[in-house]
Structure formats: C-alpha cells, structure tokens
Amino acid sequence: MNIDNVRQYLKSLSLPDFRTRQIIKNYFSGRFDNFVAMSDLPLALRNDLDARFPLLSVTESTLLVSEDSKKAALRLHDGLHIESVLMDYGEWTTACISTQVGCPLACTFCATGKMGLKRNLTVEEIIDQIIFWKNKSFPTRVDRIVFMGMGEPFLNWDNLLEALKIINNKDYLNIGSRKISISTAGIAPKIIDFANLNTEINLALSLHSADQKVRDLLMPISKSFSLIDLKKALDYYTHKTNRQVMLEYILIDQQNDRPEDIKLIKQFIGSNFLFHVNIIPLNPVKGGLIPSTRQAEFTQDLDKAGIPFTVRRSIGRSINSACGQLITQI
Ligand code: SAH
C-alpha cells in the first residue's frame, strides 16, 4: 500500500485522522490482504478504497511449503515476478526479502544471477513481501528480516533505506534494527555509506573467496571492488559501529576449500576481531558448481588458525528456497 497516496486520498474525502491511522494500522498488522475485509471500517469506505487501491503491490502466484520454510513467487503490477521466503526456526520466523527483480551481478554459483537484472523493487514491493508473509502466517509474527533474497540490496540503495525506516517505525512494522540483516556481494562505497548511517542493522558480506583471482571468477563484481577495497570498507564499518560483520563463505570443490584459502582468509581478517566467518553449504543450482568434499578438514583448519566461524545449516532446499536458489521463470 502506498501510504502517501492513501493518506492523500483520505484527506481529500475530509475523513477524520483516526480513520487514516486505523487503516494504516490494519495494513501493517498483516491481518488483511484486501480493504473489503477490514470490518472495522464503514462498508462504503472499504468498497471505495478497494476499487481505487490494491492493498498489496504483490500477489501470490505460487506457494511452496516445506517443513521449515515457505517460498512464494509473487507477481508485480507489471507482470514480473520475484521470489520471497519465510523461514521457520521454531522460536522465531525470518522473512528473506528480495530487493530487485533478478540481479545484475551474475555470481557463478547463484541461480538469481542467471536471470540478469529486470528492475529494482519499489519501497512498497519490498515492504509488501513482509506484509504478505505476516498475512500468510497470521497470527504468528514475522520476527526477523534478512535482505538475502533476489538482488543486491546496496544497488537499490534509496528504496532500501526507505523500506528500513518503515520496518523500524514503531507505528508501522516495528521490527528492531538488531533483528534485521543485510547481505551484500561487496559494493565497497555503499559499505562506507552504511557505516555512516550508524545503525544497529546487521551486515553480512558474501566473501566466498579471499583469493582475488578466484573471487574474480566466482563473482564478477569483485573486479570493480577488490578485496583490498572491501577490507578497507569493512574495517571502517567495524571501527565506526563496533559491530560484528558476517563473512559468508560457501565451500566449493577445489575453488575455495584449499589449505591456502585458510591463510588468505586469515590475511583478510588481519587483526579485526569483529569478523565472523559463516560456512554455508553450497546449495545445488542448475548447471552449478560442485560442493566441497573437504568441509570437515576445512573447518578443522579454520579452528586451528584461530578464525571464528559457525557452520550454518541450510533451510528450504527441498523446495529450492535456500540461499542462491531463487529464480523465476514465470
Ligand atoms: N546480493 C547479496 C544478497 C543475496 S544474499 C549478496 O550477494 O550477498 C544470498 C546469499 O546466498 C549470498 O551470500 C550468496 O552468495 C549466497 N548464495 C548464492 N548462491 C548460493 C548457493 N548456490 N549456495 C549457497 N549460497 C548461495
């Protein structure tokens, strides 16, 4: 729902302020997926709003459900589709949100990269993925948000920032910064801008290799922003915010799982004790790379080298909703 448009329209009807507040509250509650269902409003107003505005800018195209996750293909007003995921961790739920239709970065291991970039998502389209999941799981809450769906969040900067304000706002989605994470493939200047925001939102870097030549092959964006640029930007970030940075690392057979990769990761980390490595299993994608067979040895070596790390479990593989598996062909 484009709040400003609805506000303006309600103003033009000279409706009392409390009506506007009521409608906005209803929208963010996730209880409704259309205006007509808002039974606390006069029927004529519900019908009028319904005829003028869709409540959500995304509509369900397909929904896949597994034990620990749900994945939706969502249709946008122009017929394009995105994917969005809700993960169930038992004690809390996390929505994995897309920021672009497709992605321009073409990382070799990622399905979304094969689509190319169609366009950026609008603020409403970003927010409405969350409302969609709130509505699907109502009255269960959506507790956390990760910007780890389709696209590169830092390449849709303005809309990302607007969306974050709405997510944070106590009168809107009211999800605290510490419950939000943003992952970037490594847009170094935007990491600096992000540091300057002084927020408590969590930051993750998709590192995947600390060897410049290998990273260039895996992630073409690495040629524009080198490991040296990223190291500088991240050191600036941790210095400025005193917050941890997650370094995401998928283990790929013979590409980044060699003993020398441990040394290079150690070198990248240097003396920065706020870096934490997340070892993520490589999820299968069509025509994709081969998962490492050396995970046990590699993590032992990380341990020996004194590098802080966690091995992450993969969620949603059975319905292709895991990291790197989001792609729409509709
Ligand atoms: N563009 C941002 C946001 C996407 S987050 C970024 O790159 O960080 C999605 C995460 O899934 C990234 O860390 C990405 O590197 C990872 N990923 C991509 N393909 C994967 C695959 N096949 N298996 C496991 N993780 C993958």
Side-chain angles (χ1 to χ4, degrees):
M1 180 176 79
N2 189 317
I3 305 169
D4 293 332
N5 288 351
V6 174
R7 255 211 190 97
Q8 243 171 19
Y9 178 66
L10 294 174
K11 219 174 183 175
S12 75
L13 297 179
S14 307
L15 283 176
D17 276 356
F18 81 87
R19 277 280 179 244
T20 312
R21 283 199 299 274
Q22 195 179 11
I23 290 167
I24 289 175
K25 196 169 161 221
N26 280 350
Y27 162 65
F28 283 112
S29 74
R31 278 180 68 182
F32 307 99
D33 60 2
N34 64 74
F35 282 109
V36 179
M38 294 184 183
S39 54
D40 56 349
L41 300 178
L43 187 61
L45 179 62
R46 288 189 248 161
N47 287 333
D48 183 30
L49 288 172
D50 186 60
R52 281 169 200 279
F53 309 100
L55 184 64
L56 294 187
S57 56
V58 301
T59 48
E60 179 180 321
S61 193
T62 55
L63 182 73
L64 295 175
V65 179
S66 78
E67 217 169 69
D68 53 12
S69 75
K70 296 188 177 81
K71 176 170 89 162
L74 300 173
R75 187 158 32 79
L76 310 175
H77 72 89
D78 54 3
L80 291 174
H81 288 77
I82 50 166
E83 291 195 338
S84 197
V85 179
L86 187 72
M87 295 171 289
D88 186 355
Y89 288 90
E91 279 160 41
W92 72 86
T93 60
T94 301
C96 180
I97 299 301
S98 295
T99 50
Q100 298 184 309
V101 189
C103 182
L105 300 184
C107 299
T108 49
F109 44 78
C110 179
T112 309
K114 306 201 187 312
M115 289 173 66
L117 175 70
K118 305 282 194 283
R119 69 170 169 86
N120 277 337
L121 293 182
T122 63
V123 180
E124 289 78 44
E125 288 162 343
I126 295 172
I127 294 298
D128 284 349
Q129 293 172 64
I130 304 170
I131 309 283
F132 174 83
W133 287 124
K134 280 185 87 158
N135 183 252
K136 271 280 154 221
S137 48
F138 194 85
T140 305
R141 295 157 46 103
V142 170
D143 300 293
R144 299 180 188 208
I145 307 292
V146 293
F147 286 90
M148 299 189 184
M150 288 181 158
E152 168 53 42
F154 281 175
L155 291 180
N156 188 6
W157 180 254
D158 292 345
N159 292 344
L160 173 71
L161 289 200
E162 271 314 300
L164 289 171
K165 281 187 206 153
I166 294 173
I167 295 170
N168 267 170
N169 191 317
K170 294 232 160 15
D171 296 328
Y172 296 166
L173 277 168
N174 193 21
I175 298 175
S177 295
R178 286 165 179 259
K179 294 187 173 166
I180 306 170
S181 300
I182 300 176
S183 181
T184 177
I187 314 295
K190 289 293 178 227
I191 294 175
I192 307 262
D193 291 347
F194 187 69
N196 288 334
L197 295 178
N198 261 324
T199 129
E200 292 189 308
I201 294 168
N202 303 298
L203 178 66
L205 170 76
S206 296
L207 179 65
H208 303 323
S209 172
D211 180 332
Q212 184 67 48
K213 284 205 193 94
V214 175
R215 198 166 186 274
D216 285 351
L217 290 174
L218 294 175
M219 307 175 71
I221 188 67
S222 195
K223 292 181 208 140
S224 307
F225 305 111
S226 70
L227 285 165
I228 295 172
D229 299 331
L230 291 178
K231 167 75 174 152
K232 272 194 207 146
L234 291 177
D235 283 346
Y236 177 81
Y237 171 84
T238 55
H239 182 75
K240 179 103 185 166
T241 63
N242 206 26
R243 293 188 65 76
Q244 226 181 31
V245 172
M246 298 295 163
L247 302 177
E248 292 159 284
Y249 203 98
I250 44 181
L251 282 179
I252 308 169
D253 187 46
Q254 294 182 42
Q255 309 249 352
N256 63 359
D257 64 347
R258 310 154 302 173
E260 69 225 65
D261 288 307
I262 303 279
K263 279 190 208 130
L264 292 166
I265 295 172
K266 181 129 182 123
Q267 209 175 311
F268 183 80
I269 291 175
S271 59
N272 195 326
F273 56 88
L274 286 168
F275 287 171
H276 188 96
V277 176
N278 276 337
I279 299 294
I280 303 167
L282 176 72
N283 295 312
V285 300
K286 244 192 206 150
L289 299 161
I290 302 165
S292 168
T293 53
R294 294 193 69 252
Q295 182 169 318
E297 292 95 320
F298 194 82
T299 50
Q300 258 168 27
D301 289 349
L302 281 173
D303 210 18
K304 273 189 217 143
I307 297 169
F309 71 95
T310 307
V311 178
R312 295 284 169 182
R313 102 189 135 98
S314 190
I315 275 194
R317 266 194 200 185
S318 65
I319 54 168
N320 285 347
S321 72
C323 297
Q325 294 188 310
L326 304 185
I327 185 163
T328 45
Q329 284 131 333
I330 306 167

